[in-house]
Amino acid sequence: MNIHATVAGTLDKASPKVRDWLAQPRPMLIDGQWVAAKSGKTFAVIDPATEGKLAEVAEGDKADIDAAVAAARRAFDSGPWRKMTPSERGRVLHKIGDLIYENIDELAELDSLDNGKPKAVAKAADVTLSADMFHYMSGWPTKIHGKTIPISNLAAPGEYFSFTRPEPVGVVGQIIPWNFPLLMCAWKLGPALATGCTVVLKVAEETPLSALRLGELLLEAGLPDGVVNIVTGFGETAGAALAAHPNVNKVAFTGSTEVGKLIVQAASHDLKRVSLELGGKSPNIVLADADVEATVAGAAAGIFFNHGQCCNAGSRLFVHDKIFDKVVDGVSAAAEKIKLGFGLDEDTEMGPLVSEVQYGRVTGYLDSGKADGAKAVTGGDGVDGPGYFVKPTVLVDTTPDMKVVKEEIFGPVLVAMPFKDVDDDLIRDANNSLYGLAAGVWTSDIQKAHQIANRLESGTVWVNCYHVFDAALPFGGYKQSGWGREMGEQVLNNYLETKAITTKIG
Ligand code: ADP
């Protein structure tokens, strides 16, 4: 596996348009203007495949968050956004989706360069799902409405007319991670805009590029000034200032459970609304009657898609002992076939991890697994640099107390464990996690599949498939995987307050 021999740098492979765009220091979007950080500071965006510099972006901090929140507040209280009809808001959202499709290659290239993922994956998954999210959300503004409710209040006899009125929660602070840079923008901005909120979006310091290009498309689509403000900067400075800001009504966060808890603390001072989409350690359960070929492909994709950098990665594989060896050998063979390389090379199937920190974290877990007695059937370590490449790994001979079994690794590392019977022990082991984001079940017995699905403590269960996402399907977690749901009709609740209005009419 010699990744580095043939390529001088990934930027050489980028289109001239993207290269030119990256050659300028990229400012932030505040109040419809492209501005430098008030401090004048910038920081380098690192190419995870070469460890070279891809671009320079503004380093926003508290002062810039203050300006962005003030702009979002003005846009919410007195700007044209609030006065637009639902149908007009829907049209702007639809236009954003159209513009994303029109710029699909450029956006996929930016996410590939910035995050390391293959461009083909960015195009088929990240960018396509982002456009879908805006298109799906564009239908909602005209369908968000309250109810008339009959009341029975004997203490205040009379005739009353009561109805509910859903209202936007106000100025929303959104903080997103680096694993799906553009898609996380879409998941957050789509519903916030559909409900009529205004936004300050703090993107991940590792991957700010596609969000800034999206900012240009938002303006092109006719989004009024200040409705979406995009701040680039670090979590401890810009992110923390946003989560604690007194003029922000709600914080929506996607990222680690650890930082999610800090967000809750920061938002607790004035009891801001909070929604969280956090970590996972998802069980993928294979029954003895599963179609082995389909299961192997699904289990491999479940863990290796996006280099395992998915909160819903199927990272704990439970396989019936009758077919354990077959499935583990199959997934290991699939792992060995994965072609590591630069995201912009057409034959690349897996790129580097996103950052040096992430590389250190994942290889640290691999070392700890081996030290604890787990055996790597394939992979088991990183690839010598430059670049943050890690070999797709399958670990066996684990015990439930090992860190690699309990903790979220957020890398291409699968732990595979055999079970004997489909019984309470299996369900208990599958649910034995502080997380509860997703799960998979593989079987040809649909009754059993649903019995198991009903007992799993997780926000999503996939049967005979994995990683099936749709803008219309709610996604989110039980337990420490989060609060609230992303996508679908349900995400609208994250951004709405309900007002009950009662009038005495007789
Ligand atoms: P990961 O561990 O996957 O990098 P994090 O949870 O650290 O994910 O980061 C997700 C997002 O949270 C990023 O935009 C990051 O800048 C931001 N962030 C990190 N620390 C804080 C913090 N203390 N307050 C607010 N945001 C933060």
Side-chain angles (χ1 to χ4, degrees), residues 175-176 178 202-205 235 239-240 253-256 259 262-263 361:
I175 300 174
I176 57 170
W178 44 259
K202 207 297 280 175
V203 295
E205 48 270 48
F253 173 77
T254 295
S256 60
V259 174
L262 296 176
I263 300 283
R361 183 174 145 178

Side-chain angles (χ1 to χ4, degrees), residues 158 206 211 275 374 402 472:
E206 295 85 352
S275 53
M402 286 184 191

Side-chain angles (χ1 to χ4, degrees), residues 50-65:
T50 61
E51 303 179 35
K53 186 171 95 173
L54 272 179
E56 196 76 35
V57 298
E59 186 183 331
D61 61 21
K62 185 175 179 309
D64 306 286
I65 290 289

Side-chain angles (χ1 to χ4, degrees), residues 174-179 202-207 231 233-244 251 253-260 262-263 266 277-278 354-355 357-358 361 408 410:
Q174 301 186 318
I175 300 174
I176 57 170
W178 44 259
N179 56 344
K202 207 297 280 175
V203 295
E205 48 270 48
E206 295 85 352
T207 55
V231 176
F234 294 92
E236 300 74 16
T237 49
L242 183 57
V251 182
F253 173 77
T254 295
S256 60
T257 292
E258 197 187 345
V259 174
L262 296 176
I263 300 283
E277 200 258 285
L278 306 174
V354 74
S355 65
V357 170
Q358 195 58 18
R361 183 174 145 178
E408 181 178 45
F410 223 68

Side-chain angles (χ1 to χ4, degrees), residues 132-461:
D132 285 355
M133 186 66 185
F134 282 104
H135 283 157
Y136 171 80
M137 281 296 159
S138 73
W140 272 114
T142 50
K143 294 161 198 75
I144 297 170
H145 48 64
K147 286 182 174 172
T148 58
I149 299 176
I151 62 168
S152 319
N153 190 337
L154 295 178
E159 222 183 306
Y160 295 91
F161 168 56
S162 295
F163 68 99
T164 56
R165 193 181 130 84
E167 295 182 348
V169 70
V171 173
V172 180
Q174 301 186 318
I175 300 174
I176 57 170
W178 44 259
N179 56 344
F180 294 92
L182 184 73
L183 185 58
M184 291 300 102
C185 296
W187 279 19
K188 290 282 182 272
L189 293 178
L193 297 179
T195 50
C197 295
T198 61
V199 178
V200 176
L201 176 69
K202 207 297 280 175
V203 295
E205 48 270 48
E206 295 85 352
T207 55
L209 300 176
S210 59
L212 295 173
R213 180 69 186 109
L214 176 67
E216 295 177 350
L217 301 180
L218 297 180
L219 298 183
E220 195 180 331
L223 199 69
D225 292 351
V227 173
V228 172
N229 306 274
I230 302 175
V231 176
T232 48
F234 294 92
E236 300 74 16
T237 49
L242 183 57
H245 203 289
N247 225 347
V248 166
N249 301 102
K250 186 229 152 68
V251 182
F253 173 77
T254 295
S256 60
T257 292
E258 197 187 345
V259 174
K261 291 177 184 175
L262 296 176
I263 300 283
V264 170
Q265 277 171 20
S268 71
H269 295 291
D270 51 3
L271 298 183
K272 287 185 205 337
R273 278 77 185 112
V274 177
S275 53
L276 305 166
E277 200 258 285
L278 306 174
K281 188 79 181 175
S282 299
N284 206 358
I285 302 170
V286 184
L287 272 49
D289 61 2
D291 171 339
V292 171
E293 201 183 324
T295 302
V296 163
I303 183 64
F304 299 132
F305 174 66
N306 212 40
H307 323 167
Q309 299 170 137
C310 301
C311 45
N312 59 293
S315 49
R316 289 184 297 143
L317 188 66
F318 294 91
V319 189
H320 194 281
D321 61 4
K322 268 197 204 150
I323 56 167
F324 183 78
D325 289 343
K326 239 197 243 174
V327 171
V328 168
D329 289 349
V331 175
S332 303
E336 276 156 26
K337 278 203 209 105
I338 291 173
K339 186 166 183 318
L340 269 68
F342 291 93
L344 294 186
D345 283 340
E346 272 177 23
D347 56 351
T348 293
E349 291 168 326
M350 186 184 279
L353 300 187
V354 74
S355 65
E356 190 175 3
V357 170
Q358 195 58 18
Y359 178 87
R361 183 174 145 178
V362 173
T363 51
Y365 273 112
L366 291 174
D367 292 343
S368 114
K370 284 182 281 184
D372 288 345
K375 181 180 142 216
V377 182
T378 185
D381 37 37
V383 179
D384 287 341
Y388 310 122
F389 294 87
V390 168
K391 294 178 193 164
T393 296
V394 178
L395 298 177
V396 294
D397 295 345
T398 58
T399 53
D401 56 316
M402 286 184 191
K403 273 170 65 166
V404 288
V405 175
K406 289 199 311 205
E407 297 180 13
E408 181 178 45
I409 298 176
F410 223 68
V413 183
L414 180 70
V415 291
M417 296 158 288
F419 66 85
K420 279 199 177 358
D421 298 302
V422 180
D423 57 10
D424 288 351
D425 290 349
L426 173 66
I427 301 295
R428 193 201 52 228
D429 290 345
N431 286 335
N432 182 18
S433 170
L434 53 87
Y435 300 111
L437 194 54
V441 183
W442 298 84
T443 174
S444 46
D445 183 335
I446 204 69
Q447 273 186 324
K448 269 209 188 107
H450 282 276
Q451 286 161 8
I452 294 172
N454 288 352
R455 295 184 66 192
L456 292 172
E457 297 165 351
S458 82
T460 290
V461 180

